[in-house]
Amino acid sequence: ASSCCSKAVGDSLGRATTYSFGSICFGSLIVALVQALRQLNHHLRGQEDAQLIVCLIDCILGCIEGIIEYFNKWAYVYVGLYG
C-alpha cells in the first residue's frame, strides 16, 4: 500500500458523493425525523395528564431510532461499495 487510500476507497467515495448521494441524504432525513419526534415528545413530558403514554411513545421512538440507525449504517456501506 503505497498510498493512504486504495483504489476501492477512492471509487467508493466518488460513488457516494455523486450517484448515491440521494440515498445517503434520504437515510439521514429519516433519522432526523425520528429524532425530531423524540424531541417533541420530550417537550410533552412536562404535562401531568399523559405521563404513561408519553413514556411509552418515547420508548417506542427510541427503539425505532436505534433500528433505523443500525440499518442505515449497513445501507451506507452497501451504497458506498456497490452504488
Side-chain angles (χ1 to χ4, degrees):
S2 61
S3 67
C4 67
C5 296
S6 68
K7 182 173 175 3
V9 172
D11 290 345
S12 296
L13 178 65
R15 259 193 310 278
T17 56
T18 55
Y19 302 114
S20 303
F21 193 64
S23 299
I24 294 169
C25 289
F26 184 69
S28 298
L29 175 68
I30 293 172
V31 171
L33 288 175
V34 172
Q35 288 176 347
L37 288 174
R38 287 193 77 193
Q39 286 300 316
L40 286 172
N41 195 37
H42 282 293
H43 288 299
L44 292 175
R45 266 202 175 162
Q47 296 178 355
E48 297 291 327
D49 299 337
Q51 284 288 58
L52 179 65
I53 295 172
V54 171
C55 186
L56 287 173
I57 291 172
D58 191 41
C59 181
I60 291 169
L61 286 174
C63 291
I64 291 171
E65 182 181 4
I67 291 168
I68 289 172
E69 286 179 355
Y70 174 78
F71 282 116
N72 267 352
K73 180 175 134 181
W74 294 110
Y76 293 155
V77 170
Y78 183 84
V79 165
L81 290 175
Y82 300 110

